[in-house]
Amino acid sequence: MADNLSDTLKKLKITAVDRTEDSLEGCLDCLLQALAQNNTETSEKIQGSGILELFASLLTPQSSCTAKVANVIAEVAKNEFMRIPCVDAGLISPLVQLLNSKDQEVLLQTGRALGNICYDSHEGRSAVDQAGGAQIVIDHLRSLCSITDPANEKLLTVFCGMLMNYSNENDSLQAQLINMGVIPTLVKLLGIHCQNAALTEMCLVAFGNLAELESSKEQFASTNIAEELVKLFKKQIEHDKREMIFEVLAPLAENDAIKLQLVEAGLVECLLEIVQQKVDSDKEDDIAELKTGSDLMVLLLLGDESMQKLFEGGKGSVFQRVLSWIPSNNHQLQLAGALAIANFARNDGNCIHMVDNGIVEKLMGLLDRHVEDGNVTVQHAALSALRNLAIPVINKAKMLSAGVTEAVLKFLKSEMPPVQFKLLGTLRMLIDAQAEAAEQLGKNVKLVERLVEWCEAKDHAGVMGESNRLLSALIRHSKSKDVIKTIVQSGGIKHLVTMATSEHVIMQNEALVALALIAALELATAEKDLESTKLVQILHRLLADERSAPEIKYNSMVLICAVIGSESLHKEVQDLAFLDVVSKLRRHENKSVAQQASLTEQRLTVES
């Protein structure tokens, strides 16, 4: 065999120059046979013989052997080590020229050769790009799109594969294909050839690659991709095929317009059916499909229009089905159910309807099942849903009387930052303008001590920020001396003073208002802590800083007026020459700031 191959290669060198078609064909047949028996070894011999350079001259549209030459190149380019040599031998330009051929076999083998050379090869892709190969292939796909005979479908499959290898994991080449209008063409292909498994699969992989790119979403949204994918999905029985469609649906469903199209095309009904079929199965594939299906369902609810369409005023069958997931024994469904409720709870109308219809009790029941060694993702999702439901003013009192704070406080011992974060957010929403609830929570020493501890969670900025905000909220909404005493005794003052220097104006403001209440109601209790935290210097800095927002300047002056009731703090104010800074603010463009500056100046003058 080895001798035969060496002879063939020698003979091929001579015939390539003489151009005797019959001998050339015989040599090419021998090479293809050798490649079929041992591709790697034969390719190495071909590379060593220097014959690749001769192939460039054999790739002519006139020759009857052209298809076989392209076939040999396609076979050798299956080996990674042969791709760069194919580029270096100058084969790309003549191969791209052959894409203009009218001969179907030549087109097929040329598409294979280019596709294999591009596979995972930067050099191959670059050469095809420079030769303009992609545009010619896309034009072929457009013109051949409607022909459904098997030979044409095979050619279309090869061309799709070639474009995929050309652009896979390469954002700029994918963007180039999108600009050339490949997406509408591929969607049309999928619709016409949905009976052809190989071509369908190739389209799906291409969609999966392109859908990751943000710029593709608008083009996809202007086609009927949603309809085609749902139609295809309904036909699939095999797990692997459905998995492929899921891989396209997930990135596409990140786009709000496509979310709505998928809902209108009936995807939700398919997903609900999958959930029903797979919920009790312990097979790995079924568990994976249940997760993918329910995750996708939650993703569809992230779009405002698609969510509202499925909510249907709380009467929608989809909404009702999702509710039934919460009491389920399947963790994945509990999670998806709670996340879906959190997504439905994105406007006041939906929130009010859900609270009036007993959703809170369902979520509390779910949380109760996950207190001891519970599932963290389920805890996080259920708390997210409760937090969102607590946003409308009308819901707060109802949720408080339903016992939501007690249910939430059971997770105070959690060491998981995502759970801590949502727990804090839920409590903060619940006590907003609810004086009694704020007082009750603010006197809860265990809670306040935990908040003070979390205010130092430097590794978790979200938890730290929410703890500070809840500390401040307990004071602002309760206006209670007992709450202030509890917070002072637990060491909370220093965190509120630090919060007053936050980069977020809203947090700064909340801290200043809370500190002003402390100074007005319990100055003697807090005096030492206010001194040791250098509050007065911080207020001086905030007032002198031109970048401070008007409300920060206003509340800093209110606080100054309150702290001068303390002898030691008053002395600090005098030492720092506050009058200079305050008198300048009388000319401030904000009327409230200017008025407060006049009042503060009077107070400071009288007290000095």
Side-chain angles (χ1 to χ4, degrees), residues 237-257:
I237 318 155
E238 292 169 53
H239 167 78
D240 291 350
K241 293 277 162 57
R242 291 218 284 221
E243 200 58 37
M244 272 188 98
I245 301 172
F246 272 140
E247 279 171 20
V248 180
L249 287 169
L252 285 180
E254 286 167 12
N255 175 280
D256 282 0

Side-chain angles (χ1 to χ4, degrees), residues 212-231:
E212 296 293 341
L213 225 64
E214 210 38 56
S215 59
S216 72
K217 308 272 169 64
E218 270 179 49
Q219 272 209 31
F220 274 119
S222 65
T223 68
N224 63 337
I225 182 84
E227 203 181 312
E228 293 298 353
L229 287 175
V230 173
K231 205 159 61 182

Side-chain angles (χ1 to χ4, degrees), residues 488 518-531 565-566 569:
V488 173
I518 291 170
L521 298 171
E522 276 296 325
L523 185 55
T525 313
E527 187 177 38
K528 277 200 172 60
D529 287 348
L530 294 174
E531 270 183 76
S566 146
L569 292 169

